[in-house]
Every structure is written in C-alpha cells, then in structure tokens.
mmCIF file of all heavy atoms in Angstrom:
data_model
loop_
_atom_site.group_PDB
_atom_site.id
_atom_site.type_symbol
_atom_site.label_atom_id
_atom_site.label_comp_id
_atom_site.label_asym_id
_atom_site.label_seq_id
_atom_site.Cartn_x
_atom_site.Cartn_y
_atom_site.Cartn_z
ATOM 1 N N VAL A 64 -63.971 -22.038 215.817
ATOM 2 C CA VAL A 64 -63.780 -21.056 216.949
ATOM 3 C C VAL A 64 -64.641 -21.495 218.107
ATOM 4 O O VAL A 64 -65.754 -22.069 217.898
ATOM 5 C CB VAL A 64 -64.147 -19.616 216.442
ATOM 6 C CG1 VAL A 64 -65.623 -19.513 216.083
ATOM 7 C CG2 VAL A 64 -63.803 -18.598 217.514
ATOM 8 N N THR A 65 -64.143 -21.209 219.294
ATOM 9 C CA THR A 65 -64.906 -21.483 220.511
ATOM 10 C C THR A 65 -66.039 -20.485 220.605
ATOM 11 O O THR A 65 -65.815 -19.256 220.590
ATOM 12 C CB THR A 65 -64.055 -21.504 221.741
ATOM 13 O OG1 THR A 65 -63.051 -22.513 221.604
ATOM 14 C CG2 THR A 65 -64.862 -21.761 223.003
ATOM 15 N N VAL A 66 -67.268 -20.960 220.867
ATOM 16 C CA VAL A 66 -68.420 -20.070 220.987
ATOM 17 C C VAL A 66 -68.974 -20.224 222.440
ATOM 18 O O VAL A 66 -69.226 -21.352 222.884
ATOM 19 C CB VAL A 66 -69.538 -20.405 219.965
ATOM 20 C CG1 VAL A 66 -70.753 -19.524 220.192
ATOM 21 C CG2 VAL A 66 -69.047 -20.301 218.532
ATOM 22 N N THR A 67 -69.118 -19.091 223.128
ATOM 23 C CA THR A 67 -69.500 -19.105 224.536
ATOM 24 C C THR A 67 -70.900 -18.417 224.608
ATOM 25 O O THR A 67 -71.009 -17.199 224.166
ATOM 26 C CB THR A 67 -68.580 -18.444 225.464
ATOM 27 O OG1 THR A 67 -67.273 -19.037 225.384
ATOM 28 C CG2 THR A 67 -69.082 -18.512 226.934
ATOM 29 N N PHE A 68 -71.912 -19.125 225.141
ATOM 30 C CA PHE A 68 -73.230 -18.486 225.238
ATOM 31 C C PHE A 68 -73.400 -17.783 226.597
ATOM 32 O O PHE A 68 -72.569 -17.951 227.479
ATOM 33 C CB PHE A 68 -74.340 -19.594 225.111
ATOM 34 C CG PHE A 68 -74.323 -20.171 223.708
ATOM 35 C CD1 PHE A 68 -73.548 -21.314 223.373
ATOM 36 C CD2 PHE A 68 -75.089 -19.594 222.694
ATOM 37 C CE1 PHE A 68 -73.564 -21.843 222.100
ATOM 38 C CE2 PHE A 68 -75.116 -20.109 221.415
ATOM 39 C CZ PHE A 68 -74.277 -21.213 221.136
ATOM 40 N N ALA A 69 -74.475 -17.010 226.709
ATOM 41 C CA ALA A 69 -74.669 -16.177 227.896
ATOM 42 C C ALA A 69 -74.778 -17.042 229.178
ATOM 43 O O ALA A 69 -74.426 -16.581 230.234
ATOM 44 C CB ALA A 69 -75.959 -15.373 227.729
ATOM 45 N N ASP A 70 -75.323 -18.304 229.058
ATOM 46 C CA ASP A 70 -75.392 -19.108 230.230
ATOM 47 C C ASP A 70 -74.152 -19.893 230.606
ATOM 48 O O ASP A 70 -74.118 -20.723 231.454
ATOM 49 C CB ASP A 70 -76.558 -20.121 230.006
ATOM 50 C CG ASP A 70 -76.284 -21.094 228.861
ATOM 51 O OD1 ASP A 70 -75.236 -20.982 228.187
ATOM 52 O OD2 ASP A 70 -77.230 -21.870 228.516
ATOM 53 N N GLY A 71 -72.994 -19.603 229.821
ATOM 54 C CA GLY A 71 -71.817 -20.183 230.060
ATOM 55 C C GLY A 71 -71.466 -21.424 229.224
ATOM 56 O O GLY A 71 -70.375 -21.915 229.246
ATOM 57 N N ARG A 72 -72.445 -21.904 228.540
ATOM 58 C CA ARG A 72 -72.241 -23.127 227.700
ATOM 59 C C ARG A 72 -71.207 -22.766 226.572
ATOM 60 O O ARG A 72 -71.299 -21.743 225.952
ATOM 61 C CB ARG A 72 -73.563 -23.551 227.067
ATOM 62 C CG ARG A 72 -73.374 -24.795 226.145
ATOM 63 C CD ARG A 72 -74.733 -25.356 225.709
ATOM 64 N NE ARG A 72 -75.378 -24.442 224.754
ATOM 65 C CZ ARG A 72 -75.271 -24.580 223.427
ATOM 66 N NH1 ARG A 72 -74.496 -25.475 222.866
ATOM 67 N NH2 ARG A 72 -75.942 -23.767 222.593
ATOM 68 N N GLN A 73 -70.310 -23.745 226.338
ATOM 69 C CA GLN A 73 -69.288 -23.533 225.296
ATOM 70 C C GLN A 73 -69.399 -24.618 224.313
ATOM 71 O O GLN A 73 -69.685 -25.803 224.631
ATOM 72 C CB GLN A 73 -67.886 -23.518 225.839
ATOM 73 C CG GLN A 73 -67.558 -22.190 226.595
ATOM 74 C CD GLN A 73 -66.032 -22.121 226.925
ATOM 75 O OE1 GLN A 73 -65.379 -23.105 227.010
ATOM 76 N NE2 GLN A 73 -65.608 -20.870 227.126
ATOM 77 N N THR A 74 -69.212 -24.282 223.027
ATOM 78 C CA THR A 74 -69.245 -25.309 221.987
ATOM 79 C C THR A 74 -68.366 -24.749 220.861
ATOM 80 O O THR A 74 -67.842 -23.665 220.885
ATOM 81 C CB THR A 74 -70.687 -25.566 221.442
ATOM 82 O OG1 THR A 74 -70.630 -26.641 220.540
ATOM 83 C CG2 THR A 74 -71.210 -24.330 220.737
ATOM 84 N N SER A 75 -68.136 -25.609 219.857
ATOM 85 C CA SER A 75 -67.267 -25.205 218.688
ATOM 86 C C SER A 75 -68.153 -24.781 217.548
ATOM 87 O O SER A 75 -69.123 -25.424 217.190
ATOM 88 C CB SER A 75 -66.390 -26.372 218.269
ATOM 89 O OG SER A 75 -65.556 -25.996 217.225
ATOM 90 N N GLY A 76 -67.815 -23.667 216.907
ATOM 91 C CA GLY A 76 -68.540 -23.182 215.757
ATOM 92 C C GLY A 76 -67.618 -23.281 214.526
ATOM 93 O O GLY A 76 -66.392 -23.132 214.636
ATOM 94 N N ARG A 77 -68.213 -23.636 213.387
ATOM 95 C CA ARG A 77 -67.471 -23.816 212.161
ATOM 96 C C ARG A 77 -67.856 -22.652 211.198
ATOM 97 O O ARG A 77 -69.036 -22.305 211.072
ATOM 98 C CB ARG A 77 -67.832 -25.139 211.528
ATOM 99 C CG ARG A 77 -67.051 -25.441 210.244
ATOM 100 C CD ARG A 77 -67.562 -26.768 209.597
ATOM 101 N NE ARG A 77 -68.924 -26.654 209.180
ATOM 102 C CZ ARG A 77 -69.325 -26.108 208.057
ATOM 103 N NH1 ARG A 77 -68.484 -25.583 207.230
ATOM 104 N NH2 ARG A 77 -70.643 -26.112 207.737
ATOM 105 N N VAL A 78 -66.859 -22.119 210.444
ATOM 106 C CA VAL A 78 -67.120 -21.053 209.515
ATOM 107 C C VAL A 78 -67.872 -21.607 208.331
ATOM 108 O O VAL A 78 -67.347 -22.461 207.605
ATOM 109 C CB VAL A 78 -65.809 -20.425 209.066
ATOM 110 C CG1 VAL A 78 -66.126 -19.322 208.048
ATOM 111 C CG2 VAL A 78 -65.053 -19.802 210.229
ATOM 112 N N ALA A 79 -69.095 -21.156 208.172
ATOM 113 C CA ALA A 79 -69.912 -21.534 206.948
ATOM 114 C C ALA A 79 -69.534 -20.701 205.760
ATOM 115 O O ALA A 79 -69.476 -21.186 204.653
ATOM 116 C CB ALA A 79 -71.369 -21.414 207.255
ATOM 117 N N GLY A 80 -69.228 -19.445 206.002
ATOM 118 C CA GLY A 80 -68.847 -18.605 204.908
ATOM 119 C C GLY A 80 -68.332 -17.252 205.475
ATOM 120 O O GLY A 80 -68.782 -16.827 206.555
ATOM 121 N N SER A 81 -67.373 -16.635 204.801
ATOM 122 C CA SER A 81 -66.733 -15.367 205.277
ATOM 123 C C SER A 81 -66.540 -14.462 204.095
ATOM 124 O O SER A 81 -66.136 -14.906 203.025
ATOM 125 C CB SER A 81 -65.440 -15.680 205.985
ATOM 126 O OG SER A 81 -64.835 -14.525 206.403
ATOM 127 N N ASP A 82 -66.812 -13.181 204.300
ATOM 128 C CA ASP A 82 -66.598 -12.163 203.328
ATOM 129 C C ASP A 82 -65.705 -11.103 203.945
ATOM 130 O O ASP A 82 -66.152 -10.227 204.671
ATOM 131 C CB ASP A 82 -67.912 -11.532 202.907
ATOM 132 C CG ASP A 82 -67.780 -10.522 201.760
ATOM 133 O OD1 ASP A 82 -66.634 -10.099 201.487
ATOM 134 O OD2 ASP A 82 -68.813 -10.139 201.136
ATOM 135 N N GLY A 83 -64.394 -11.220 203.688
ATOM 136 C CA GLY A 83 -63.417 -10.314 204.308
ATOM 137 C C GLY A 83 -63.538 -8.859 203.787
ATOM 138 O O GLY A 83 -63.124 -7.959 204.423
ATOM 139 N N ASP A 84 -64.065 -8.706 202.591
ATOM 140 C CA ASP A 84 -64.223 -7.352 202.072
ATOM 141 C C ASP A 84 -65.330 -6.580 202.719
ATOM 142 O O ASP A 84 -65.238 -5.382 202.921
ATOM 143 C CB ASP A 84 -64.481 -7.440 200.519
ATOM 144 C CG ASP A 84 -63.274 -7.911 199.755
ATOM 145 O OD1 ASP A 84 -62.093 -7.553 200.181
ATOM 146 O OD2 ASP A 84 -63.423 -8.605 198.764
ATOM 147 N N LEU A 85 -66.418 -7.247 203.070
ATOM 148 C CA LEU A 85 -67.516 -6.617 203.802
ATOM 149 C C LEU A 85 -67.356 -6.777 205.309
ATOM 150 O O LEU A 85 -68.012 -6.153 206.078
ATOM 151 C CB LEU A 85 -68.850 -7.230 203.353
ATOM 152 C CG LEU A 85 -70.114 -6.564 203.836
ATOM 153 C CD1 LEU A 85 -70.120 -5.069 203.502
ATOM 154 C CD2 LEU A 85 -71.352 -7.296 203.283
ATOM 155 N N ASP A 86 -66.403 -7.629 205.765
ATOM 156 C CA ASP A 86 -66.103 -7.886 207.153
ATOM 157 C C ASP A 86 -67.292 -8.520 207.898
ATOM 158 O O ASP A 86 -67.597 -8.188 208.988
ATOM 159 C CB ASP A 86 -65.674 -6.577 207.863
ATOM 160 C CG ASP A 86 -65.004 -6.897 209.169
ATOM 161 O OD1 ASP A 86 -64.529 -8.005 209.394
ATOM 162 O OD2 ASP A 86 -64.868 -5.949 210.035
ATOM 163 N N ILE A 87 -67.911 -9.550 207.191
ATOM 164 C CA ILE A 87 -68.879 -10.343 207.965
ATOM 165 C C ILE A 87 -68.586 -11.794 207.719
ATOM 166 O O ILE A 87 -67.916 -12.193 206.747
ATOM 167 C CB ILE A 87 -70.326 -10.037 207.437
ATOM 168 C CG1 ILE A 87 -70.458 -10.348 205.932
ATOM 169 C CG2 ILE A 87 -70.736 -8.662 207.764
ATOM 170 C CD1 ILE A 87 -71.878 -10.306 205.450
ATOM 171 N N ALA A 88 -69.044 -12.634 208.666
ATOM 172 C CA ALA A 88 -68.872 -14.066 208.559
ATOM 173 C C ALA A 88 -70.024 -14.736 209.248
ATOM 174 O O ALA A 88 -70.667 -14.181 210.136
ATOM 175 C CB ALA A 88 -67.558 -14.486 209.203
ATOM 176 N N VAL A 89 -70.331 -15.979 208.796
ATOM 177 C CA VAL A 89 -71.431 -16.754 209.340
ATOM 178 C C VAL A 89 -70.825 -18.033 209.885
ATOM 179 O O VAL A 89 -70.059 -18.695 209.214
ATOM 180 C CB VAL A 89 -72.505 -17.085 208.296
ATOM 181 C CG1 VAL A 89 -73.610 -17.951 208.830
ATOM 182 C CG2 VAL A 89 -73.161 -15.757 207.791
#
C-alpha cells in the first residue's frame, strides 16, 4: 500500500501481518 507521511513523502508499505477478526494490521 502507498504510505504518505505528513511532510508529503510517499513510499510503499508491505503488510507484515493482519488480523481481520480484530481489525488490525501492521
């Protein structure tokens, strides 16, 4: 997913882990 920081910098983030039942992801 594209990650945009407050200063406008953009980079790509990769899903390390996701828990759809608790609705959180890292």
Side-chain angles (χ1 to χ4, degrees):
V64 62
T65 299
V66 179
T67 304
F68 294 91
D70 60 5
R72 178 173 71 93
Q73 288 190 335
T74 188
S75 180
R77 183 185 63 83
V78 177
S81 180
D82 185 345
D84 291 324
L85 189 55
D86 199 15
I87 60 170
V89 176

